Each structure stands twice: as C-alpha cells, then as structure tokens.
Amino acid sequence: MKRILILAVVLVGLVGPWSLADTPPAGPVEPVVVRLYFPDRTHLNAVAGELDLWEAHPDQGYAVAAVSPDQFRWLQELGYRLEIVPELTALLNRRNEPLPGQGPDTIPGYPCYRTVEETYQTLQDLSTTYPSLTELEDIGDSWDKVTPGGNDGYDIYALRITNENITPLDSKPTFFLMAEIHSREYTTAETATRFAEYLLQNYGTDPEITFFVDYHRIYVVPMTNPDGRKIAEGGVLWRKNVDNDDGCTDPDSWGTDLNRNYSFKWGCCGGSSGNPCAETYRGPSAASEPETQAIQSKVLTLFPDQRGPGDTDPAPADATGLLITLHSYSQLVLWPWGWTGTDAPNGAQLQTLGRKLAWYNNYTPEQSNDLYTTDGTTDDWSYGELGIASYTFEMGTQFFQACTTFENTIWPTNRPALLYAFTVADTPYMTAYGPDALNGAVDLPSVPQGQPVQLTARLDDSRRRYDPAQNIVAAEYFVLPLHGPTPPGDPGTGIPMSPQDGSWNSSIEDVVATVDTSGLAPGSYIIALRGQDAGNNWGPFTAVFLTTTLSAVPDLLGLEAAPTSIPIVYGQATLTATLTLSDGTPTPGWPVTFTTDLGTLDPVMGYSDENGQVVTTLSAGATAGTAHVSAEAASLVGGPVEVAIYTPAAPTAEFTANSPVCVNTPTAFTNLSTYPPEVPVEYLWDFGDGVGSSTAENPTYTYATGGEFTVTLTAGNVGGTDTVTHTVSITPTPTATFTYSPAYPQPGQIIHFYDASSSNPIAWSWNFGDGSGSILQNPLHLYTAAGTYTVTLKARNGCGWGAEYSQAITVAAEPPSRLYIYLPLVRR
C-alpha cells in the first residue's frame, strides 16, 4: 500500500480534464478485467508497473488490465476512467473443460498444447531419436524443486540442436529460444517445442535446414516456468512462478514475475512492482528466482560479452548470437529497451531485424518501451549484459488461445520468423539488412561428374516492414561437401551468379549460374548461395542439395584378399578391390560395396582411389569358420574370396622373480606365460607396492622399501585374459637399535650392551663415545669416569650396512635418589 500512496501523490499532477467529474461508484468485490483510459503514455507508465496489463494501445488511449477491487478503487481515485469488460472478466474464474473424448493427461479443452510432462517427454524422445543432432541439458530447477516441503517441482531443460559431429560446437553461431516464462501463455511452449521438432524432422531433406543445423546451433527451452505452467493447465490465469515466502498472504497471488526479475536494470524505473502480491512483482532481489538464475547462467556460457558496461555502449556490427523469448499475447515483435524510451545503442540494427521478423509473422514491430515501461526483463538483460540481438514475440490474441487459431495462424506464421532468426544468428545486426535468398534449385539434383548444373534462385530485398528496399547488386554461391567440416562463415569470395534478365536493376532479382562439376568427386554436396544489395549488405544463405556420380561404369576385374593362407584373427585381413575401365584408365571415386557372411567389414562401402582401388579391413566375429567376401561396383560383382577365421585361445599367465632381493636393487621378472604364437599378446604388471606397474614382457623393478609384496601379472589377447599372482620378498638393510644394563651405570661398573637390530644383521660396529668401540654383537664396556656418552651402532646384513643409530648414556657417581610421595590418610 505504501507503493500505491507514493504513486497517488505523483499522479495528482497528472490528472486532468479527463478525470471523473463525479464521485466514482463503488467498485467490484471480485477481480475484473477493465479497459483503462489514459491521455498519454506518461499516465500509462505511472501505473503500468503495478498492473497485470493484458493489452496496451497507447495510440488509442487505452489498455486492458486485470485488477483487484483495491486496484480498481485506487485507479478511480487517481482519475482514470475504467470500463469493466464482461467477456474477459469471465475468463478470470472460468476453468477448462475437457472436450468429448479428450484424455485425462492433456490440458482440458486445449488438446493441441502439450502439458509440462508431455513436453518433457517430447524433448526426451527427440534426444533419443536424433542422438547425433541433439543433446538434452538440465540447466536448472524450478522454485518448487529447490524449496523443501511443497510440491516436487521440475527441472528446466534446454534441447541443443546441431550436428554434433561438426566441431567445435562452441564456435557455432547460437540462437537461444525460450518460452513459457509466464505460465498462462499456452501458445509459447508449444511453438518452441514444435520448432525443435520441425528442424529435426526436416533435417536431411530440407537443404536449408540441413545447412543451418550443421553449422549453427539452437537451444530451445520450452518451459521456463514449469511450476506456474502446471497451475495454468487447470485453467487458472496464473502469470508468475510459485514463490510463496516473500510476504504475500494471498495464495492466489503468490509468486514472482520472472520477466521482471532479471538482474539488468532490476527495479530501476517504475516498470515493476515491489508488492509481493502484484502480478508484476519483481522479487526480493535481482535474479532471486531459480528459474531466472537457470536462464542467466546458461546464456552466459553460450554467448560472448560483446557490449561495454555503459548504457550507451553499442555492440559491434558483427556481434554474434540471437535470443527470442516467446510470450502472448498482442501480435507484436518487441526489442530493447523496455526500461527507458531512449533508443538502445544498437537501436537502428535492432529495429531493422525486428521489422524483418515482423514481416514474416505479420506482427507490429516496435521498441518495448513504446508500449509501457518495464524493467528487469529477459531481453533487456540479454542485450544489456552481452549485446545479444534480443526480441520478444507477443503471439496471438489470447492467453488460452483456441487450438484452431493456434494451428491455422499462430504456428504457421511464427515458424518462418523463427527459421529466419536461426539463419541470421551469425551476424544478425548485419545480415538482416541484406536480401533474402529464395527458391534455390538446380535443374538436376544428381548428375554424372563433369556434367554442368544450372543453379537458380530469387533474391528479394523487399521482404521487410516499413524499411525501404534496395536494388540487388551481386550474388554468389559456394559448393561444400555435405556435412563437411568448414561452413562459409567467413567465405571471402564466392563464385558469382548473374541476373537472369542481364541487368542488376531491381530489389527482386532472379539469378542464375552454371555450376562446373568436373572437379567434384562423386558424392553429396550442398550449394550455399546469397545475395548483396546496393548498401553492400549480404543477406542470409539458402542452400541446395547436389549429388555427383561417375560418368562411366567400370569393369570390375577382380577381388584379391590377403592373407588367405594362414588363419586370420580380428581385423588382420586386408581386402583390395581393383577397378579399371575397359580401356585401362583408372576410375577414381567409384562407390564399392563389400559384403561378407562372417564378421564385419570396415568400411562396408568405400570409394576407389586414383589407382581405381578400394581397401577395406575384415573384422572377424567370435565364431570360427570361413568368410566369403565379395565386392560390388554398380551391377558387377567380384569374388567371393574365402578367408579362414578362427577364435584364438586366451593366454595362460605365469612368471618368476629373482627373489629374495635387496631394497634398491633391481628385481628381474621372467615372463613364463604361454599363448598362441600368431596372436599378439599384451601384459600388465602390478608390483604390489602401490607405486610400480609395467607393460613390458620381462620387466625389472626396484623396490624402495622391504617386505613381502604380491605381484600380479595380467596377460591378454583378443581371445581373453588371464591373471596370476606371486609373492616376492624384498630384504632391507638392518635398522639398528640396542639396549643396555644396568639402567643407571656408575664409573668402573661393567655395562652389557645388547643388539636389537632388525633384518638379521651379520656384522656390527659400536662406538661407545669415549674413544673406544667394538665389533661384537653384544659387547661389554666399562666407563672410568662419570659423564654422558653418545653410543652409536651400525649393523650390516647381506644387503649392506644400515643407518647408524645413536643413544645418550649417563654414567653417574651416585644413582638417582628415590622419590617418595606421601598421600594423606583418608578415612572411610
């Protein structure tokens, strides 16, 4: 209420002759949807941050908003004219009813929209069906998932789509598509999910989709707010997430508006509410919600930071990456800024691309703040923090859009807009200025090598909303191996195309080129082509498939296999198929297929080299027998050649060691393993001290410490492995120590020294500290004078002298006095 009082004070000066002349009537007792009339955007912006705005029509002087009874009275007190819209108010309390025959696990009344669970199952199915094109990533958790004591909540998934075999993946231009940030907006998640399906289902058959999935990558996040979406699936017009611990006591109004929670310009400018019950509540702090954190964290790993820290710092013209967040409704394409009416530093480029996208979906393009002020939004954050070309699509005309409208209008009109966004993700601020390349085709999709191909296309610079078209001035194409490693990301100079009518004089030009295939080896190719307009702007690529074959059928002279005279084990056979034309000319590039009835061939299909030869390797199976190997070129068959294959026996591991051995002396190990002589064998030794290992056949090893060690040898070949262990004894040098008696010797008293050294010493060296010594094991000694003497002992065994041990001995004239301790008498 404090927020409302502040706004009321501010608005006193805004209320003019359009205010109510009479005392307003009593307001509604339940939430209603109203038309709110205002004279200009200033008055709309003054209250927009507190309202759940469904529509905004600044040019017509009204907006549509859902308001509580308190908000209704507050707006009236501020002088706004309000009209209740009965048909929209009815939607607030209407619950979805299932259609006849509709199953229980779908959204009642809306079978075209997948539930959270159905959407996630689709993502998993796509990941399983297209493993080389997708990776399903868990990028974070919903509020319920991270908050104990309530519902289980959900993971937030992103499906990455790209050709995984063309690397590096992180260098590919990136398009990030997210949806369902506001839970009631049914169309958004389904559109994002269908777009992922569309790309994958058309890969390999649509050359343009194939080209861009190969060399670009897209991340699709269909459910940004799954907790809230699950509530909305029951027919509740729920907007926010389900955060319930920020102070709102009305369970119907819990949650944070995730599209006001992003960390850039959070709560800066009156474009969100600090009231925890408000539909535009921005949260207790910037990026406080786990859903927001998931998106921000993922986006920050995908895109470079391309914009300076200042509000007026632009991203460079060649900045890469594009982000679209799908919302509903209002049929708009919006771009930053939302927090201010001032143009963004890249405002001209954002407008050009936004108008281009709007040409495709026939929506109204405008800067976000042209509607009303917002802060902490997704697209302001992604552009403001990183300089990414960022857009919001407001799709359709209702939150719970009828399936007929979605199927017939929303999905088919937004699909090409999203596909265009995907194609310009490399340099969106530049490519959007250039012409579209359409209807690329070759007159013959498959031709013999050397036969010319006619390439045609239409270049069109007029497909844009409001911006003027420019004449086409150039076109070029590139011939690339299909799924090859290098796309034309920085192509340099392509092969020119010509205007079909002979003159570059229009914004729409049909172009043509003759493609020389004489230098193209038989195989599959993709032709990428694009156009340039009078402003020197290159547009996005389109693509065409082309296949070349050999121009003549060779004679297959024969198939040779070697070796065939000895048994072959696991891929040790090399089979050579030799192809020549009838006039003796080698035939490079001819496809040859190998077959066998035992084991496998790698490659099963190959192409002849410059000598007309193809080499393949037979990989034997686990079954002994005879392989019949054949090679086929066109309708000509060579072979079969018989190759004997058998399964070898595993080795039997055994060894000995020259034990006992001393510490720090090499221990030699002799390998006694047995194995089939024609089969390679490998060894792995573990010397048992936790340090040493070896793969040598007969290794030596030096132990640093003494003791009993369990040595393990594993011997293996293609037939299996065997392991054996033996204990080796490593002898250390002695560890010297001694005792003596009596414990308190006096001058002139004989002291008996006792050797206590380890490791079986055979020689001793004593030094009694008074200039004398002994070589006996347990010597006697007499000190003539009192004092403290340092006695040392060294001991030697068969491995050498050990370290010296020393001990101080005190020889005193009198033994130490007894110590008496008197205890008090304790009576019981």
Side-chain angles (χ1 to χ4, degrees):
M1 185 57 71
K2 181 178 180 182
R3 170 76 173 177
I4 294 175
L5 290 176
I6 293 173
L7 283 171
V9 172
V10 172
L11 285 168
V12 166
L14 297 180
V15 177
W18 52 276
S19 306
L20 293 176
D22 303 320
T23 302
V29 296
E30 298 289 340
V32 293
V33 179
V34 300
R35 280 194 174 193
L36 181 154
Y37 292 91
F38 50 86
D40 53 46
R41 283 193 176 88
T42 302
H43 289 82
L44 174 60
N45 285 333
V47 295
E50 297 293 332
L51 299 178
D52 179 13
L53 288 174
W54 291 15
E55 302 174 23
H57 305 277
D59 295 340
Q60 301 177 54
Y62 78 92
V64 176
V67 297
S68 67
D70 286 343
Q71 289 175 320
F72 189 95
R73 287 187 291 273
W74 168 62
L75 291 169
Q76 281 192 323
E77 290 168 1
L78 294 176
Y80 289 92
R81 181 164 66 91
L82 306 176
E83 290 181 359
I84 296 176
V85 186
E87 63 272 20
L88 296 181
T89 299
L91 295 176
L92 290 175
N93 300 310
R94 189 183 73 187
R95 294 297 179 263
N96 294 343
E97 295 294 335
L99 299 176
Q102 187 176 356
D105 297 329
T106 57
I107 300 177
Y110 298 91
C112 62
Y113 303 117
R114 280 168 269 214
T115 63
V116 177
E117 290 75 15
E118 288 177 310
T119 301
Y120 282 3
Q121 185 60 54
T122 297
L123 297 183
Q124 184 60 61
D125 292 344
L126 293 175
S127 181
T128 301
T129 305
Y130 303 97
S132 64
L133 299 177
T134 61
E135 181 164 331
L136 187 58
E137 300 181 21
D138 179 353
I139 65 170
D141 297 321
S142 69
W143 194 87
D144 267 339
K145 183 73 179 289
V146 302
T147 306
N151 296 327
D152 291 340
Y154 296 90
D155 296 316
I156 298 174
Y157 287 107
L159 183 69
R160 183 182 71 199
I161 301 174
T162 189
N163 187 329
E164 304 276 331
N165 297 319
I166 298 176
T167 57
L169 300 180
D170 57 5
S171 69
K172 296 183 179 183
T174 302
F175 175 34
F176 193 89
L177 178 64
M178 56 182 288
E180 203 60 48
I181 194 170
H182 290 148
S183 10
R184 63 196 178 191
E185 298 169 0
Y186 282 180
T187 62
T188 64
E190 187 64 25
T191 298
T193 304
R194 291 197 184 194
F195 188 62
E197 290 176 317
Y198 180 77
L199 293 178
L200 293 168
Q201 291 167 358
N202 287 278
Y203 180 86
T205 57
D206 183 309
E208 185 171 290
I209 289 176
T210 303
F211 178 78
F212 285 104
V213 169
D214 275 351
Y215 302 120
H216 287 199
R217 62 177 178 173
I218 179 174
Y219 284 81
V220 181
V221 184
M223 292 285 179
T224 307
N225 182 9
D227 291 344
R229 169 58 183 257
K230 184 47 61 178
I231 297 175
E233 287 174 5
V236 181
L237 286 170
W238 195 272
R239 172 184 172 93
K240 302 185 285 181
N241 74 350
V242 298
D243 187 344
N244 63 9
D245 62 2
D246 292 346
C248 180
T249 58
D250 178 7
D252 292 335
S253 300
W254 281 342
T256 295
D257 183 348
L258 299 177
N259 203 37
R260 301 294 187 273
N261 186 240
Y262 282 78
S263 57
F264 184 83
K265 300 297 181 182
W266 177 82
C268 74
C269 311
S272 58
S273 176
N275 175 7
C277 288
E279 290 298 299
T280 53
Y281 173 52
R282 58 181 168 262
S285 60
S288 59
E289 306 309 295
E291 297 90 347
T292 307
Q293 294 164 17
I295 297 298
Q296 289 195 175
S297 297
K298 188 60 186 176
V299 169
L300 287 171
T301 68
L302 301 178
F303 298 90
D305 185 353
Q306 302 167 101
R307 203 180 78 82
D311 289 345
T312 59
D313 293 337
D318 62 352
T320 188
L322 197 149
L323 181 147
I324 292 178
T325 174
L326 300 178
H327 287 251
S328 70
Y329 61 93
S330 283
Q331 302 186 124
L332 301 170
V333 174
L334 305 175
W335 58 84
W337 302 119
W339 64 274
T340 176
T342 303
D343 287 347
N346 294 97
Q349 294 104 318
L350 289 166
Q351 174 179 275
T352 295
L353 178 52
R355 289 176 170 179
K356 187 74 175 181
L357 295 168
W359 185 92
Y360 280 95
N361 59 15
N362 200 30
Y363 286 176
T364 299
E366 58 188 3
Q367 183 178 329
S368 181
N369 191 269
D370 289 347
L371 284 177
Y372 50 86
T373 299
T374 57
D375 49 38
T377 60
T378 310
D379 51 4
D380 270 10
W381 172 81
S382 54
Y383 171 74
E385 287 291 341
L386 301 174
I388 304 169
S390 303
Y391 295 86
T392 295
F393 283 10
E394 292 282 359
M395 302 190 301
T397 56
Q398 291 183 13
F399 295 128
F400 296 174
Q401 194 84 54
C403 282
T404 53
T405 304
F406 175 77
E407 298 283 9
N408 297 328
T409 304
I410 294 175
W411 165 236
T413 57
N414 280 282
R415 182 181 65 229
L418 296 175
L419 185 59
Y420 180 83
F422 189 30
T423 66
V424 301
D426 187 10
T427 53
Y429 293 141
M430 298 168 57
T431 311
Y433 284 89
D436 291 351
L438 310 169
N439 305 326
V442 288
D443 57 344
L444 294 171
S446 179
V447 296
Q449 182 185 27
Q451 178 174 325
V453 174
Q454 188 88 340
L455 173 66
T456 58
R458 169 164 288 188
L459 303 179
D460 191 341
D461 201 59
S462 69
R463 294 152 61 93
R464 54 186 78 248
R465 297 287 293 274
Y466 310 129
D467 292 332
Q470 300 189 71
N471 283 352
I472 309 298
V473 298
E476 62 182 6
Y477 71 91
F478 304 82
V479 182
L480 307 167
L482 184 61
H483 314 310
T486 306
D490 184 14
T493 302
I495 304 172
M497 301 183 72
S498 303
Q500 201 165 54
D501 62 3
S503 178
W504 301 110
N505 58 6
S506 173
S507 61
I508 301 175
E509 291 280 1
D510 292 323
V511 293
V512 64
T514 299
V515 180
D516 180 6
T517 67
S518 60
L520 302 179
S524 298
Y525 296 87
I526 198 159
I527 302 176
L529 65 94
R530 63 179 181 173
Q532 185 184 42
D533 66 18
N536 294 323
N537 304 301
W538 288 102
F541 283 99
T542 190
V544 181
F545 288 138
L546 175 65
T547 300
T548 60
T549 63
L550 283 175
S551 57
V553 178
D555 293 330
L556 181 60
L557 298 186
L559 173 68
E560 296 178 356
T564 58
S565 59
I566 65 172
I568 297 171
V569 181
Y570 292 91
Q572 294 178 358
T574 299
L575 308 180
T576 302
T578 303
L579 303 175
T580 60
L581 293 176
S582 57
D583 61 0
T585 303
T587 307
W590 190 264
V592 180
T593 302
F594 294 89
T595 58
T596 180
D597 55 3
L598 188 65
T600 60
L601 289 167
D602 181 26
V604 174
M605 180 176 179
Y607 292 91
S608 58
D609 61 19
E610 64 275 8
N611 298 315
Q613 295 183 332
V614 182
V615 178
T616 192
T617 300
L618 171 66
S619 298
T623 304
T626 301
H628 299 85
V629 183
S630 302
E632 180 178 357
S635 60
L636 305 172
V637 178
V641 175
E642 292 188 353
V643 180
I645 299 174
Y646 85 124
T647 303
T652 300
E654 189 54 82
F655 69 93
T656 61
N658 58 334
S659 178
V661 177
C662 299
V663 169
N664 296 321
T665 301
T667 301
F669 294 89
T670 302
N671 196 327
L672 303 176
S673 301
T674 59
Y675 51 87
E678 71 276 7
V679 181
V681 65
E682 296 180 350
Y683 302 101
L684 178 61
W685 298 82
D686 183 336
F687 297 119
D689 60 352
V691 177
S693 63
S694 176
T695 58
E697 182 176 1
N698 296 291
T700 60
Y701 185 66
T702 300
Y703 287 90
T705 59
E708 301 288 321
F709 298 97
T710 299
V711 179
T712 301
L713 167 62
T714 300
N717 63 11
V718 292
T721 60
D722 186 41
T723 299
V724 64
T725 60
H726 292 301
T727 300
V728 297
S729 178
I730 306 298
T731 303
T733 57
T735 301
T737 186
F738 65 85
T739 61
Y740 61 93
S741 179
Y744 304 104
Q746 299 180 36
Q749 185 176 16
I750 294 175
I751 303 174
H752 198 163
F753 289 92
Y754 301 96
D755 168 50
S757 302
S758 65
S759 302
N760 304 314
I762 58 175
W764 299 265
S765 176
W766 296 85
N767 185 327
F768 298 121
D770 61 354
S772 61
S774 175
I775 59 173
L776 299 178
Q777 182 178 10
N778 299 301
L780 300 173
H781 187 65
L782 183 149
Y783 290 96
T784 60
T788 298
Y789 301 90
T790 300
V791 180
T792 61
L793 170 64
K794 290 178 63 177
R796 179 176 65 82
N797 62 9
C799 289
W801 289 98
E804 183 178 83
Y805 172 75
S806 63
Q807 185 178 161
I809 297 176
T810 300
V811 179
E814 295 292 338
S817 301
R818 287 189 176 92
L819 177 64
Y820 295 93
I821 300 176
Y822 296 93
L823 299 175
L825 180 62
V826 179
R827 297 183 182 273
R828 295 184 181 272

